[in-house]
Amino acid sequence: MTDEQIIENVIKDANVLKAIKTVPRHEFVPKEYINSAYEDGPLPIGHGQTISQLFIVAFMTDHLELNSTHKVLEIGTGSGYQTAILSILSKHVYSIEIIDDLLKESSIRLKKLGYDNITLQSGDGYKGIEQEAPFDRIIITAAPEEVPDTLLAQLNVGGIMVVPIGKQCEIQHLWVIKKDSDGSLMKEKVLPVGFVPMIKKIN
Ligand code: SAH
């Protein structure tokens, strides 16, 4: 099976597959990796960070069960690739990135490609964006050791959070967390993964 066939077999939402075919992934990787842009693996984007593997982007997006009414919060803009996918499938995306140089590059890239329902914010993702909360969907693309409480508090009722959890030296797992109408949380561990750590800012 090719990587593309694996993705098509696993991903349930046809709109996610369509979004993946629409966003030009080669525009989000450094020049020297353009030929590898569509291979199914993570690639370096500078500053010790990586653009997530295509399958993982598709898998995480699928579990968000997005529609065009959703207000989405992403932590870890990185290259902006996941942000672009989210922007196609939702109403508005807020994305926080802690490394300013990456944020600047992504901002230019996303504007150039015409994605206009995205708000990028520099800073510490652990804080979320209080003044824009609640969010219908939250996706974290770096791994915290535990689910950040502040972000859980910013998740709307009926909302879904997709987050890789775990220490760097241990196997991390992708969790899907759903907030019920009564505020209770349902947590499901769905896949072993390997993400860069979610950086804790030293104050
Ligand atoms: N979604 C990105 C993946 C980037 S890797 C893409 O498709 O390219 C994870 C990103 O999370 C990195 O850019 C890293 O700088 C960022 N990050 C790590 N800790 C963070 C934090 N506390 N707040 C915001 N961003 C963070």
Side-chain angles (χ1 to χ4, degrees):
M1 248 199 284
T2 64
D3 295 335
E4 208 169 310
Q5 283 169 328
I6 293 173
I7 291 176
E8 284 181 4
N9 274 323
V10 174
I11 303 307
K12 298 186 197 93
D13 184 347
N15 288 329
V16 173
L17 294 173
K18 221 188 281 171
I20 279 179
K21 291 204 170 110
T22 311
V23 178
R25 189 167 158 94
H26 61 273
E27 297 275 2
F28 293 81
V29 302
K31 278 195 192 75
E32 58 268 39
Y33 296 111
I34 281 185
N35 291 335
S36 316
Y38 296 91
E39 286 169 14
D40 195 26
L43 291 170
I45 54 170
H47 307 275
Q49 305 302 325
T50 53
I51 176 172
S52 303
Q53 183 184 345
L54 192 53
F55 173 77
I56 294 292
V57 172
F59 190 85
M60 290 174 84
T61 311
D62 198 34
H63 278 85
L64 283 173
E65 300 175 27
L66 287 163
N67 73 44
S68 58
T69 69
H70 288 150
K71 187 178 186 179
V72 181
L73 175 64
E74 177 190 31
I75 311 298
T77 318
S79 68
Y81 177 70
Q82 172 80 70
T83 324
I85 301 273
L86 297 169
S87 107
I88 291 180
L89 296 165
S90 67
K91 186 164 185 214
H92 200 94
V93 185
Y94 295 82
S95 185
I96 309 177
E97 171 57 54
I98 205 164
I99 300 175
D100 280 344
D101 286 350
L102 283 177
L103 193 77
K104 274 186 210 137
E105 286 166 26
S106 296
S107 172
I108 293 166
R109 184 179 290 135
L110 289 164
K111 275 199 195 107
K112 185 186 101 183
L113 294 171
Y115 299 102
D116 58 5
N117 59 342
I118 295 171
T119 305
L120 299 182
Q121 182 166 308
S122 157
D124 181 6
Y126 282 97
K127 296 188 178 133
I129 310 178
E130 186 68 56
Q131 63 276 23
E132 292 297 343
F135 297 96
D136 303 304
R137 301 291 186 262
I138 299 180
I139 175 170
I140 308 186
T141 68
E145 292 185 3
E146 285 164 20
V147 185
D149 283 341
T150 314
L151 297 180
L152 272 183
Q154 293 183 14
L155 183 65
N156 208 352
V157 289
I160 302 177
M161 179 189 285
V162 175
V163 52
I165 299 286
K167 295 193 177 133
Q168 286 307 296
C169 48
E170 293 167 6
I171 296 171
Q172 307 161 358
H173 285 94
L174 199 64
W175 288 81
V176 176
I177 302 173
K178 297 189 177 176
K179 193 184 261 190
D180 267 0
S181 48
D182 65 0
S184 63
L185 299 170
M186 276 168 23
K187 302 183 187 180
E188 193 190 350
K189 202 160 134 179
V190 291
L191 193 75
V193 285
F195 274 81
V196 294
M198 186 162 165
I199 301 161
K200 282 216 166 100
K201 224 174 191 174
I202 303 145
N203 292 310

mmCIF file of all heavy atoms in Angstrom, residues 118-161:
data_model
loop_
_atom_site.group_PDB
_atom_site.id
_atom_site.type_symbol
_atom_site.label_atom_id
_atom_site.label_comp_id
_atom_site.label_asym_id
_atom_site.label_seq_id
_atom_site.Cartn_x
_atom_site.Cartn_y
_atom_site.Cartn_z
ATOM 1 N N ILE A 118 -7.404 33.099 9.449
ATOM 2 C CA ILE A 118 -6.432 32.643 10.451
ATOM 3 C C ILE A 118 -5.913 33.844 11.239
ATOM 4 O O ILE A 118 -5.578 34.875 10.652
ATOM 5 C CB ILE A 118 -5.233 31.951 9.744
ATOM 6 C CG1 ILE A 118 -5.683 30.671 9.033
ATOM 7 C CG2 ILE A 118 -4.101 31.660 10.728
ATOM 8 C CD1 ILE A 118 -4.619 30.038 8.143
ATOM 9 N N THR A 119 -5.846 33.695 12.566
ATOM 10 C CA THR A 119 -5.209 34.707 13.409
ATOM 11 C C THR A 119 -4.015 34.049 14.085
ATOM 12 O O THR A 119 -4.190 33.074 14.816
ATOM 13 C CB THR A 119 -6.189 35.224 14.488
ATOM 14 O OG1 THR A 119 -7.372 35.688 13.836
ATOM 15 C CG2 THR A 119 -5.576 36.356 15.294
ATOM 16 N N LEU A 120 -2.819 34.561 13.797
ATOM 17 C CA LEU A 120 -1.622 33.997 14.414
ATOM 18 C C LEU A 120 -1.243 34.827 15.629
ATOM 19 O O LEU A 120 -1.360 36.048 15.613
ATOM 20 C CB LEU A 120 -0.459 33.976 13.415
ATOM 21 C CG LEU A 120 -0.653 33.143 12.144
ATOM 22 C CD1 LEU A 120 0.607 33.186 11.280
ATOM 23 C CD2 LEU A 120 -1.001 31.696 12.475
ATOM 24 N N GLN A 121 -0.778 34.137 16.649
ATOM 25 C CA GLN A 121 -0.383 34.854 17.867
ATOM 26 C C GLN A 121 0.939 34.314 18.392
ATOM 27 O O GLN A 121 1.122 33.103 18.485
ATOM 28 C CB GLN A 121 -1.480 34.692 18.930
ATOM 29 C CG GLN A 121 -1.161 35.458 20.190
ATOM 30 C CD GLN A 121 -2.375 35.572 21.100
ATOM 31 O OE1 GLN A 121 -3.451 35.989 20.681
ATOM 32 N NE2 GLN A 121 -2.211 35.186 22.349
ATOM 33 N N SER A 122 1.819 35.250 18.735
ATOM 34 C CA SER A 122 3.102 34.869 19.298
ATOM 35 C C SER A 122 2.926 34.659 20.800
ATOM 36 O O SER A 122 2.213 35.411 21.455
ATOM 37 C CB SER A 122 4.070 36.027 19.020
ATOM 38 O OG SER A 122 5.115 36.002 19.926
ATOM 39 N N GLY A 123 3.554 33.629 21.354
ATOM 40 C CA GLY A 123 3.495 33.489 22.812
ATOM 41 C C GLY A 123 3.415 32.055 23.285
ATOM 42 O O GLY A 123 3.671 31.115 22.526
ATOM 43 N N ASP A 124 3.031 31.936 24.541
ATOM 44 C CA ASP A 124 3.034 30.645 25.209
ATOM 45 C C ASP A 124 1.671 29.960 25.094
ATOM 46 O O ASP A 124 0.684 30.422 25.658
ATOM 47 C CB ASP A 124 3.396 30.872 26.686
ATOM 48 C CG ASP A 124 3.452 29.574 27.451
ATOM 49 O OD1 ASP A 124 3.316 28.504 26.816
ATOM 50 O OD2 ASP A 124 3.632 29.620 28.674
ATOM 51 N N GLY A 125 1.671 28.865 24.369
ATOM 52 C CA GLY A 125 0.434 28.131 24.118
ATOM 53 C C GLY A 125 -0.264 27.621 25.366
ATOM 54 O O GLY A 125 -1.477 27.401 25.348
ATOM 55 N N TYR A 126 0.485 27.410 26.455
ATOM 56 C CA TYR A 126 -0.142 26.901 27.687
ATOM 57 C C TYR A 126 -1.249 27.841 28.178
ATOM 58 O O TYR A 126 -2.144 27.426 28.893
ATOM 59 C CB TYR A 126 0.900 26.727 28.805
ATOM 60 C CG TYR A 126 1.738 25.473 28.649
ATOM 61 C CD1 TYR A 126 2.999 25.531 28.053
ATOM 62 C CD2 TYR A 126 1.276 24.235 29.091
ATOM 63 C CE1 TYR A 126 3.770 24.391 27.906
ATOM 64 C CE2 TYR A 126 2.045 23.092 28.949
ATOM 65 C CZ TYR A 126 3.289 23.169 28.358
ATOM 66 O OH TYR A 126 4.050 22.039 28.213
ATOM 67 N N LYS A 127 -1.131 29.123 27.798
ATOM 68 C CA LYS A 127 -2.109 30.120 28.273
ATOM 69 C C LYS A 127 -3.355 30.174 27.402
ATOM 70 O O LYS A 127 -4.369 30.731 27.808
ATOM 71 C CB LYS A 127 -1.452 31.502 28.306
ATOM 72 C CG LYS A 127 -0.304 31.583 29.296
ATOM 73 C CD LYS A 127 0.178 33.013 29.445
ATOM 74 C CE LYS A 127 1.303 33.077 30.472
ATOM 75 N NZ LYS A 127 2.436 33.854 30.024
ATOM 76 N N GLY A 128 -3.271 29.624 26.176
ATOM 77 C CA GLY A 128 -4.400 29.733 25.263
ATOM 78 C C GLY A 128 -4.682 31.183 24.932
ATOM 79 O O GLY A 128 -3.778 32.030 25.000
ATOM 80 N N ILE A 129 -5.939 31.482 24.565
ATOM 81 C CA ILE A 129 -6.323 32.879 24.309
ATOM 82 C C ILE A 129 -7.633 33.120 25.045
ATOM 83 O O ILE A 129 -8.722 32.868 24.527
ATOM 84 C CB ILE A 129 -6.495 33.179 22.799
ATOM 85 C CG1 ILE A 129 -5.277 32.685 21.994
ATOM 86 C CG2 ILE A 129 -6.712 34.682 22.576
ATOM 87 C CD1 ILE A 129 -5.384 32.897 20.493
ATOM 88 N N GLU A 130 -7.478 33.573 26.277
ATOM 89 C CA GLU A 130 -8.624 33.758 27.184
ATOM 90 C C GLU A 130 -9.741 34.596 26.544
ATOM 91 O O GLU A 130 -10.918 34.218 26.595
ATOM 92 C CB GLU A 130 -8.090 34.448 28.466
ATOM 93 C CG GLU A 130 -9.092 34.598 29.572
ATOM 94 C CD GLU A 130 -9.500 33.270 30.196
ATOM 95 O OE1 GLU A 130 -8.589 32.550 30.640
ATOM 96 O OE2 GLU A 130 -10.708 32.970 30.233
ATOM 97 N N GLN A 131 -9.347 35.704 25.908
ATOM 98 C CA GLN A 131 -10.369 36.633 25.399
ATOM 99 C C GLN A 131 -11.130 36.083 24.193
ATOM 100 O O GLN A 131 -12.184 36.611 23.833
ATOM 101 C CB GLN A 131 -9.775 38.023 25.098
ATOM 102 C CG GLN A 131 -8.723 38.082 24.007
ATOM 103 C CD GLN A 131 -7.314 37.740 24.508
ATOM 104 O OE1 GLN A 131 -7.148 37.064 25.528
ATOM 105 N NE2 GLN A 131 -6.314 38.196 23.786
ATOM 106 N N GLU A 132 -10.631 35.033 23.555
ATOM 107 C CA GLU A 132 -11.340 34.437 22.408
ATOM 108 C C GLU A 132 -12.069 33.148 22.795
ATOM 109 O O GLU A 132 -12.797 32.573 22.000
ATOM 110 C CB GLU A 132 -10.357 34.143 21.256
ATOM 111 C CG GLU A 132 -9.769 35.368 20.592
ATOM 112 C CD GLU A 132 -10.827 36.230 19.906
ATOM 113 O OE1 GLU A 132 -11.943 35.760 19.661
ATOM 114 O OE2 GLU A 132 -10.510 37.410 19.659
ATOM 115 N N ALA A 133 -11.838 32.639 23.992
ATOM 116 C CA ALA A 133 -12.452 31.377 24.420
ATOM 117 C C ALA A 133 -13.964 31.571 24.595
ATOM 118 O O ALA A 133 -14.405 32.702 24.840
ATOM 119 C CB ALA A 133 -11.815 30.944 25.737
ATOM 120 N N PRO A 134 -14.778 30.508 24.511
ATOM 121 C CA PRO A 134 -14.361 29.123 24.315
ATOM 122 C C PRO A 134 -14.143 28.756 22.837
ATOM 123 O O PRO A 134 -14.689 29.393 21.952
ATOM 124 C CB PRO A 134 -15.577 28.353 24.867
ATOM 125 C CG PRO A 134 -16.749 29.226 24.566
ATOM 126 C CD PRO A 134 -16.235 30.633 24.700
ATOM 127 N N PHE A 135 -13.343 27.730 22.641
ATOM 128 C CA PHE A 135 -13.075 27.203 21.308
ATOM 129 C C PHE A 135 -13.825 25.890 21.109
ATOM 130 O O PHE A 135 -13.885 25.059 22.022
ATOM 131 C CB PHE A 135 -11.569 26.968 21.135
ATOM 132 C CG PHE A 135 -10.781 28.242 21.227
ATOM 133 C CD1 PHE A 135 -10.202 28.628 22.427
ATOM 134 C CD2 PHE A 135 -10.637 29.070 20.120
ATOM 135 C CE1 PHE A 135 -9.497 29.818 22.529
ATOM 136 C CE2 PHE A 135 -9.931 30.266 20.206
ATOM 137 C CZ PHE A 135 -9.356 30.637 21.422
ATOM 138 N N ASP A 136 -14.358 25.691 19.913
ATOM 139 C CA ASP A 136 -15.085 24.441 19.625
ATOM 140 C C ASP A 136 -14.116 23.267 19.470
ATOM 141 O O ASP A 136 -14.472 22.126 19.759
ATOM 142 C CB ASP A 136 -15.897 24.598 18.334
ATOM 143 C CG ASP A 136 -16.856 25.769 18.431
ATOM 144 O OD1 ASP A 136 -17.664 25.773 19.373
ATOM 145 O OD2 ASP A 136 -16.773 26.695 17.591
ATOM 146 N N ARG A 137 -12.941 23.579 19.000
ATOM 147 C CA ARG A 137 -11.935 22.536 18.809
ATOM 148 C C ARG A 137 -10.570 23.083 19.232
ATOM 149 O O ARG A 137 -10.258 24.240 18.960
ATOM 150 C CB ARG A 137 -11.838 22.126 17.323
ATOM 151 C CG ARG A 137 -13.151 21.591 16.728
ATOM 152 C CD ARG A 137 -13.499 20.247 17.320
ATOM 153 N NE ARG A 137 -14.638 19.607 16.715
ATOM 154 C CZ ARG A 137 -15.877 19.640 17.212
ATOM 155 N NH1 ARG A 137 -16.137 20.322 18.315
ATOM 156 N NH2 ARG A 137 -16.853 18.982 16.620
ATOM 157 N N ILE A 138 -9.753 22.230 19.865
ATOM 158 C CA ILE A 138 -8.376 22.621 20.210
ATOM 159 C C ILE A 138 -7.443 21.499 19.779
ATOM 160 O O ILE A 138 -7.692 20.318 20.071
ATOM 161 C CB ILE A 138 -8.221 22.889 21.728
ATOM 162 C CG1 ILE A 138 -9.139 24.052 22.169
ATOM 163 C CG2 ILE A 138 -6.760 23.219 22.073
ATOM 164 C CD1 ILE A 138 -9.070 24.421 23.657
ATOM 165 N N ILE A 139 -6.379 21.873 19.069
ATOM 166 C CA ILE A 139 -5.387 20.880 18.633
ATOM 167 C C ILE A 139 -4.014 21.351 19.099
ATOM 168 O O ILE A 139 -3.668 22.526 18.927
ATOM 169 C CB ILE A 139 -5.445 20.656 17.101
ATOM 170 C CG1 ILE A 139 -4.320 19.716 16.624
ATOM 171 C CG2 ILE A 139 -5.399 21.958 16.317
ATOM 172 C CD1 ILE A 139 -4.466 19.258 15.172
ATOM 173 N N ILE A 140 -3.272 20.455 19.707
ATOM 174 C CA ILE A 140 -1.922 20.786 20.176
ATOM 175 C C ILE A 140 -0.942 19.961 19.355
ATOM 176 O O ILE A 140 -1.076 18.738 19.276
ATOM 177 C CB ILE A 140 -1.783 20.493 21.683
ATOM 178 C CG1 ILE A 140 -2.924 21.188 22.461
ATOM 179 C CG2 ILE A 140 -0.422 20.952 22.204
ATOM 180 C CD1 ILE A 140 -2.841 21.094 23.973
ATOM 181 N N THR A 141 0.029 20.637 18.724
ATOM 182 C CA THR A 141 0.920 19.901 17.821
ATOM 183 C C THR A 141 2.341 19.773 18.378
ATOM 184 O O THR A 141 3.289 19.540 17.651
ATOM 185 C CB THR A 141 0.939 20.533 16.404
ATOM 186 O OG1 THR A 141 1.572 21.817 16.474
ATOM 187 C CG2 THR A 141 -0.451 20.695 15.852
ATOM 188 N N ALA A 142 2.483 19.964 19.696
ATOM 189 C CA ALA A 142 3.714 19.649 20.421
ATOM 190 C C ALA A 142 3.229 18.911 21.673
ATOM 191 O O ALA A 142 2.076 19.079 22.070
ATOM 192 C CB ALA A 142 4.446 20.926 20.801
ATOM 193 N N ALA A 143 4.113 18.092 22.278
ATOM 194 C CA ALA A 143 3.619 17.240 23.367
ATOM 195 C C ALA A 143 3.860 17.819 24.759
ATOM 196 O O ALA A 143 5.006 17.942 25.198
ATOM 197 C CB ALA A 143 4.277 15.862 23.266
ATOM 198 N N PRO A 144 2.790 18.162 25.496
ATOM 199 C CA PRO A 144 2.937 18.481 26.913
ATOM 200 C C PRO A 144 3.013 17.173 27.701
ATOM 201 O O PRO A 144 2.647 16.115 27.176
ATOM 202 C CB PRO A 144 1.642 19.232 27.248
ATOM 203 C CG PRO A 144 0.637 18.742 26.261
ATOM 204 C CD PRO A 144 1.392 18.288 25.044
ATOM 205 N N GLU A 145 3.462 17.243 28.966
ATOM 206 C CA GLU A 145 3.533 16.017 29.769
ATOM 207 C C GLU A 145 2.165 15.636 30.321
ATOM 208 O O GLU A 145 1.888 14.487 30.613
ATOM 209 C CB GLU A 145 4.561 16.189 30.888
ATOM 210 C CG GLU A 145 5.963 16.281 30.312
ATOM 211 C CD GLU A 145 7.050 16.325 31.362
ATOM 212 O OE1 GLU A 145 6.736 16.222 32.557
ATOM 213 O OE2 GLU A 145 8.216 16.467 30.962
ATOM 214 N N GLU A 146 1.327 16.662 30.483
ATOM 215 C CA GLU A 146 -0.060 16.436 30.934
ATOM 216 C C GLU A 146 -0.974 17.358 30.150
ATOM 217 O O GLU A 146 -0.517 18.369 29.624
ATOM 218 C CB GLU A 146 -0.195 16.790 32.414
ATOM 219 C CG GLU A 146 0.413 15.773 33.329
ATOM 220 C CD GLU A 146 0.617 16.319 34.734
ATOM 221 O OE1 GLU A 146 -0.033 17.323 35.082
ATOM 222 O OE2 GLU A 146 1.428 15.735 35.446
ATOM 223 N N VAL A 147 -2.254 17.032 30.116
ATOM 224 C CA VAL A 147 -3.204 17.903 29.416
ATOM 225 C C VAL A 147 -3.241 19.256 30.148
ATOM 226 O O VAL A 147 -3.493 19.293 31.347
ATOM 227 C CB VAL A 147 -4.629 17.304 29.425
ATOM 228 C CG1 VAL A 147 -5.557 18.163 28.584
ATOM 229 C CG2 VAL A 147 -4.610 15.872 28.929
ATOM 230 N N PRO A 148 -2.944 20.364 29.452
ATOM 231 C CA PRO A 148 -2.944 21.664 30.141
ATOM 232 C C PRO A 148 -4.360 22.069 30.572
ATOM 233 O O PRO A 148 -5.259 22.193 29.743
ATOM 234 C CB PRO A 148 -2.395 22.623 29.078
ATOM 235 C CG PRO A 148 -1.702 21.747 28.075
ATOM 236 C CD PRO A 148 -2.460 20.461 28.071
ATOM 237 N N ASP A 149 -4.542 22.293 31.882
ATOM 238 C CA ASP A 149 -5.854 22.639 32.443
ATOM 239 C C ASP A 149 -6.429 23.923 31.852
ATOM 240 O O ASP A 149 -7.627 24.031 31.614
ATOM 241 C CB ASP A 149 -5.738 22.823 33.971
ATOM 242 C CG ASP A 149 -5.660 21.477 34.665
ATOM 243 O OD1 ASP A 149 -6.055 20.467 34.035
ATOM 244 O OD2 ASP A 149 -5.192 21.430 35.814
ATOM 245 N N THR A 150 -5.551 24.907 31.655
ATOM 246 C CA THR A 150 -6.017 26.195 31.109
ATOM 247 C C THR A 150 -6.681 25.986 29.756
ATOM 248 O O THR A 150 -7.692 26.611 29.435
ATOM 249 C CB THR A 150 -4.817 27.152 30.937
ATOM 250 O OG1 THR A 150 -4.057 27.097 32.119
ATOM 251 C CG2 THR A 150 -5.242 28.561 30.653
ATOM 252 N N LEU A 151 -6.094 25.085 28.947
ATOM 253 C CA LEU A 151 -6.651 24.856 27.613
ATOM 254 C C LEU A 151 -7.950 24.064 27.700
ATOM 255 O O LEU A 151 -8.901 24.324 26.966
ATOM 256 C CB LEU A 151 -5.621 24.155 26.723
ATOM 257 C CG LEU A 151 -4.350 24.978 26.474
ATOM 258 C CD1 LEU A 151 -3.377 24.219 25.591
ATOM 259 C CD2 LEU A 151 -4.696 26.320 25.822
ATOM 260 N N LEU A 152 -8.015 23.117 28.627
ATOM 261 C CA LEU A 152 -9.263 22.366 28.827
ATOM 262 C C LEU A 152 -10.390 23.316 29.209
ATOM 263 O O LEU A 152 -11.528 23.167 28.756
ATOM 264 C CB LEU A 152 -9.088 21.346 29.956
ATOM 265 C CG LEU A 152 -8.559 19.962 29.577
ATOM 266 C CD1 LEU A 152 -8.535 19.089 30.816
ATOM 267 C CD2 LEU A 152 -9.400 19.313 28.480
ATOM 268 N N ALA A 153 -10.050 24.314 30.039
ATOM 269 C CA ALA A 153 -11.052 25.292 30.479
ATOM 270 C C ALA A 153 -11.533 26.137 29.300
ATOM 271 O O ALA A 153 -12.651 26.650 29.312
ATOM 272 C CB ALA A 153 -10.466 26.181 31.566
ATOM 273 N N GLN A 154 -10.690 26.293 28.281
ATOM 274 C CA GLN A 154 -11.061 27.115 27.121
ATOM 275 C C GLN A 154 -11.782 26.316 26.032
ATOM 276 O O GLN A 154 -12.122 26.844 24.976
ATOM 277 C CB GLN A 154 -9.815 27.813 26.555
ATOM 278 C CG GLN A 154 -9.262 28.854 27.517
ATOM 279 C CD GLN A 154 -8.059 29.617 26.964
ATOM 280 O OE1 GLN A 154 -7.756 29.582 25.779
ATOM 281 N NE2 GLN A 154 -7.359 30.319 27.839
ATOM 282 N N LEU A 155 -12.016 25.024 26.291
ATOM 283 C CA LEU A 155 -12.733 24.172 25.329
ATOM 284 C C LEU A 155 -14.238 24.304 25.568
ATOM 285 O O LEU A 155 -14.709 24.180 26.706
ATOM 286 C CB LEU A 155 -12.279 22.712 25.507
ATOM 287 C CG LEU A 155 -12.852 21.677 24.538
ATOM 288 C CD1 LEU A 155 -12.399 21.942 23.093
ATOM 289 C CD2 LEU A 155 -12.428 20.254 24.954
ATOM 290 N N ASN A 156 -14.972 24.545 24.509
ATOM 291 C CA ASN A 156 -16.423 24.715 24.597
ATOM 292 C C ASN A 156 -17.109 23.409 25.008
ATOM 293 O O ASN A 156 -16.549 22.317 24.776
ATOM 294 C CB ASN A 156 -16.940 25.131 23.211
ATOM 295 C CG ASN A 156 -18.197 25.955 23.283
ATOM 296 O OD1 ASN A 156 -18.790 26.099 24.363
ATOM 297 N ND2 ASN A 156 -18.614 26.498 22.153
ATOM 298 N N VAL A 157 -18.302 23.493 25.573
ATOM 299 C CA VAL A 157 -19.065 22.257 25.800
ATOM 300 C C VAL A 157 -19.420 21.682 24.430
ATOM 301 O O VAL A 157 -19.677 22.423 23.475
ATOM 302 C CB VAL A 157 -20.357 22.492 26.637
ATOM 303 C CG1 VAL A 157 -20.027 22.792 28.075
ATOM 304 C CG2 VAL A 157 -21.200 23.584 26.038
ATOM 305 N N GLY A 158 -19.368 20.373 24.324
ATOM 306 C CA GLY A 158 -19.544 19.715 23.031
ATOM 307 C C GLY A 158 -18.262 19.753 22.202
ATOM 308 O O GLY A 158 -18.238 19.288 21.066
ATOM 309 N N GLY A 159 -17.205 20.306 22.789
ATOM 310 C CA GLY A 159 -15.955 20.493 22.044
ATOM 311 C C GLY A 159 -15.041 19.272 22.060
ATOM 312 O O GLY A 159 -15.223 18.352 22.866
ATOM 313 N N ILE A 160 -14.064 19.292 21.178
ATOM 314 C CA ILE A 160 -13.086 18.194 21.083
ATOM 315 C C ILE A 160 -11.675 18.770 21.109
ATOM 316 O O ILE A 160 -11.392 19.764 20.427
ATOM 317 C CB ILE A 160 -13.261 17.391 19.771
ATOM 318 C CG1 ILE A 160 -14.682 16.818 19.662
ATOM 319 C CG2 ILE A 160 -12.216 16.264 19.667
ATOM 320 C CD1 ILE A 160 -14.953 16.079 18.355
ATOM 321 N N MET A 161 -10.811 18.133 21.913
ATOM 322 C CA MET A 161 -9.393 18.477 21.920
ATOM 323 C C MET A 161 -8.583 17.261 21.471
ATOM 324 O O MET A 161 -8.854 16.141 21.908
ATOM 325 C CB MET A 161 -8.951 18.881 23.333
ATOM 326 C CG MET A 161 -7.473 19.228 23.424
ATOM 327 S SD MET A 161 -6.875 19.447 25.133
ATOM 328 C CE MET A 161 -7.538 21.027 25.537
#
